[in-house]
Amino acid sequence: MRVRPTLRWTPTEDLPPATTDLEPVVDALHAGGVLVLSGAGISTESGIPDYRGEGGSLSRHTPMTFQEFTGGAAARRRYWARSHLGWRTFGRALPNAGHRAVAAFGSHGLVSGVITQNVDGLHQAAGSEGVVELHGSLDRVVCLSCGRTSPRRELAERLEAANPGFSPVAAGINPDGDADLTDDQVAGFRVVPCAVCGGVLKPDVVFFGETVPPQRVELCRRMVRESNSLLVLGSSLTVMSGLRFVRLAAESGKPVLIVNRDPTRGDRHARTRVGLLLGPALTTVAERLGVTVEEAAA
């Protein structure tokens, strides 16, 4: 499965209107077997902006593509300079009420699994188990030559040592961990190679234009087939890698429920779309189900 560089989606048909009625979500979770598919919108309340919502990062930022990253050293220098600065903020983000509610549903046996399009690790930090990271995770790094994976913190330390005093002021942080920097701000940044073979290092995430590992795709398909319903949280479903699971659920006769403020590319397949903020909405759902959501870490 290739993540196509589809950056924006505009509705071309009349879509069902959003509702504020959470009862269908409550009913689905009460029945159990709900598979969660989450997108960038669930992390906005943790301070990580989404791509396409109001104020989304695509208004000022074009994500790196795999072809661009592998095509030249200048692109990799720009990526790692921006990502290194962004990691300082991104790596400190904490789970919000939405992540904690999903974890609570899982601990009560109401959720059959979680597939996330996000690369921030916040579902796991909130306590969700068995999360499938469809697009990988920024806390790992992989060598494109020898295949070795290593912790992001290890690379961060090496980049700090290679770039003492690197602390430009960024215009913003993006969902892929990039900081918005100018070409002048990244011009002198030094990229470090793989510590084992000297090869090119890449974050262990699926860039736009790159292929999601087939085994991961098949695992997600199986999770959809074995679920009772699909609950989409905070995703515009613009990218086909997430939308196809919505289509699969709908084709299999499984209810699709979406909680997202804005219209999504999957609305026509959904039983309902709730147009509310995720944190408050999922907290309300938890209250109606009698599920306790852990308080935020102090």
Side-chain angles (χ1 to χ4, degrees):
M1 180 193 298
R2 186 176 298 277
V3 178
R4 299 175 182 176
T6 302
L7 302 183
R8 293 176 176 83
W9 167 78
T10 302
T12 57
E13 58 184 306
D14 291 332
L15 296 173
T19 180
T20 58
D21 181 13
L22 289 164
E23 282 308 305
V25 178
V26 173
D27 291 343
L29 284 163
H30 185 264
V34 176
L35 175 61
V36 170
L37 171 64
S38 71
I42 199 170
S43 293
T44 56
E45 293 166 58
S46 293
I48 299 174
D50 63 13
Y51 283 114
R52 301 172 180 87
E54 184 179 351
S57 68
L58 284 181
S59 62
R60 64 178 191 277
H61 165 74
T62 300
M64 177 70 70
T65 66
F66 180 72
Q67 292 75 15
E68 185 180 7
F69 184 86
T70 56
R76 291 192 290 275
R77 177 183 302 110
R78 184 172 69 253
Y79 175 82
W80 279 120
R82 293 160 61 114
S83 184
H84 179 56
L85 183 64
W87 178 251
R88 296 173 182 171
T89 298
F90 198 91
R92 292 195 297 268
L94 298 174
N96 62 52
H99 299 109
R100 297 195 304 273
V102 171
F105 299 147
S107 67
H108 283 73
L110 308 179
V111 167
S112 63
V114 177
I115 300 170
T116 185
Q117 296 172 283
N118 300 337
V119 294
D120 52 37
L122 292 179
H123 278 298
Q124 296 93 317
S128 288
E129 298 181 355
V131 178
V132 177
E133 297 170 316
L134 188 61
H135 297 153
S137 176
L138 278 176
D139 69 0
R140 299 185 301 272
V141 179
V142 62
C143 175
L144 295 182
S145 296
C146 69
R148 173 181 180 261
T149 59
S150 55
R152 178 63 179 263
R153 65 178 181 276
E154 177 183 296
L155 175 63
E157 291 171 358
R158 295 179 63 206
L159 288 174
E160 290 285 356
N163 298 277
F166 180 75
S167 56
V169 177
I173 304 296
N174 303 301
D176 53 7
D178 259 3
D180 287 326
L181 298 176
T182 66
D183 289 344
D184 287 342
Q185 288 175 304
V186 307
F189 190 82
R190 293 183 58 199
V191 177
V192 298
C194 173
V196 173
C197 74
V200 171
L201 294 176
K202 173 185 171 293
D204 194 13
V205 300
V206 179
F207 282 162
F208 282 90
E210 192 175 2
T211 300
V212 178
Q215 312 94 293
R216 194 179 302 165
V217 175
E218 184 50 41
L219 171 59
C220 293
R221 291 184 187 276
R222 186 168 71 249
M223 293 170 73
V224 173
R225 289 192 293 265
E226 293 176 354
S227 68
N228 293 330
S229 59
L230 180 65
L231 176 60
V232 180
L233 303 176
S235 176
S236 67
L237 299 170
T238 297
V239 178
M240 184 59 69
S241 62
L243 178 61
R244 68 183 60 213
F245 300 126
V246 170
R247 290 178 172 174
L248 175 60
E251 290 166 359
S252 303
K254 301 177 188 296
V256 175
L257 306 102
I258 299 174
V259 184
N260 196 64
R261 288 177 302 168
D262 301 315
T264 83
R265 200 175 172 191
D267 281 5
R268 67 186 183 91
H269 302 290
R271 175 169 296 183
T272 185
R273 176 173 66 84
V274 179
L276 296 173
L277 287 173
L278 276 161
L282 294 181
T283 299
T284 298
V285 169
E287 290 171 352
R288 294 184 187 178
L289 289 166
V291 171
T292 300
V293 178
E294 295 293 331
E295 295 293 328

